[in-house]
Amino acid sequence: GAGVSQSPRYKVAKRGQDVALRCDPISGHVSLFWYQQALGQGPEFLTYFQNEAQLDKSGLPSDRFFAERPEGSVSTLKIQRTQQEDSAVYLCASSLARTGREQYFGPGTRLTVT
Amino acid sequence: GDSVTQMEGPVTLSEEAFLTINCTYTATGYPSLFWYVQYPGEGLQLLLKATKADDKGSNKGFEATYRKETTSFHLEKGSVQVSDSAVYFCALRGTSGSRLTFGEGTQLTVNP
């Protein structure tokens, strides 16, 4: 079946612009995660949804970052007033159960802020 | 908080060589441990996992054993292939059961 999809795959934004990154999880997956992966580093947790509820947003680096999953399926990560340090690959993952199950990752969105 | 430390890379080997990538962790309780692989241009894929002490995860000729006494989960393969060239990430899922904490990744290049 279809895996996790993310769009766009690549995004170039000028500093100060707002961006929106989309994640389509695997159908029926309850849990959805966002991670940020800087160049040459491992992914770092940003936020976690269980259905439409955002249960953990402790990894969001600033109040310019906002995520939503209004219907418990598709999720959007929004970054306002982008800065150069926001340049990274943003990974989305979904999982079938609430806890303790494998996370399936999408291909990521590479964001470059110029 | 939870953390994962991987051996510094990159690692370059000849085909059929033995591979070890070291991974140690810090976590409270009994985390689950994972190795993920990222091939060029692709997303992260789960390679293997272990959920309790002394468990051995294995897949595609790769193995790793959950060592509680040394807080380690080293990745090994007896004979690497060119197609194993990728970035390998060690990760843990803490007892809260949700987020993954990753190491910094190890780039492996296998030459024919």
Side-chain angles (χ1 to χ4, degrees):
Chain A
V4 178
S5 61
Q6 294 186 244
S7 61
R9 291 292 310 276
Y10 303 91
K11 177 69 178 178
V12 179
K14 292 187 188 303
R15 196 174 73 171
Q17 284 184 333
D18 297 349
V19 298
L21 312 180
R22 177 186 169 107
C23 172
D24 283 86
I26 295 172
S27 178
H29 276 199
V30 168
S31 298
L32 186 146
F33 303 82
W34 285 99
Y35 294 86
Q36 180 190 57
Q37 185 177 15
L39 186 65
Q41 301 296 314
E44 292 192 357
F45 171 80
L46 293 177
T47 187
Y48 159 57
F49 291 86
Q50 183 178 308
N51 295 307
E52 69 279 5
Q54 190 174 19
L55 299 187
D56 186 352
K57 54 182 181 179
S58 62
L60 295 176
S62 79
D63 59 7
R64 296 186 295 104
F65 287 70
F66 172 76
E68 60 184 5
R69 194 186 185 199
E71 297 179 358
S73 179
V74 171
S75 177
T76 304
L77 176 67
K78 298 179 180 178
I79 309 173
Q80 297 177 323
R81 304 180 305 281
T82 53
Q83 304 294 315
Q84 281 195 316
E85 62 262 29
D86 301 335
S87 296
V89 176
Y90 290 85
L91 298 171
C92 176
S94 70
S95 169
L96 182 60
R98 286 174 291 179
T99 61
R101 297 297 295 270
E102 178 180 350
Q103 293 182 26
Y104 294 83
F105 282 81
T109 295
R110 181 178 297 279
L111 172 65
T112 302
V113 181
T114 60
Chain B
D2 297 344
S3 67
V4 175
T5 302
Q6 287 182 234
M7 67 183 290
E8 292 184 11
V11 175
T12 302
L13 296 173
S14 298
E15 205 164 23
E16 299 184 3
F18 184 85
L19 169 71
T20 300
I21 301 177
N22 290 337
C23 172
T24 57
Y25 68 90
T26 301
T28 55
Y30 295 88
S32 295
L33 301 175
F34 305 85
W35 278 98
Y36 279 83
V37 58
Q38 190 171 39
Y39 297 103
E42 298 184 17
L44 282 167
Q45 300 174 26
L46 179 65
L47 180 59
L48 54 84
K49 66 179 180 182
T51 58
K52 61 183 188 295
D54 300 325
D55 268 1
K56 177 185 285 188
S58 61
N59 186 27
K60 300 181 181 179
F62 290 89
E63 293 182 341
T65 301
Y66 187 159
R67 300 288 189 199
K68 182 69 174 173
E69 63 276 14
T70 54
T71 62
S72 65
F73 193 55
H74 305 321
L75 183 68
E76 297 182 336
K77 187 175 185 183
S79 176
V80 294
Q81 305 300 311
V82 172
S83 57
D84 294 327
S85 298
V87 182
Y88 292 81
F89 293 93
C90 185
L92 70 82
R93 185 176 62 222
T95 51
S96 66
S98 54
R99 70 166 73 180
L100 292 170
T101 300
F102 288 87
E104 55 269 33
T106 300
Q107 172 78 57
L108 171 66
T109 301
V110 180
N111 295 318

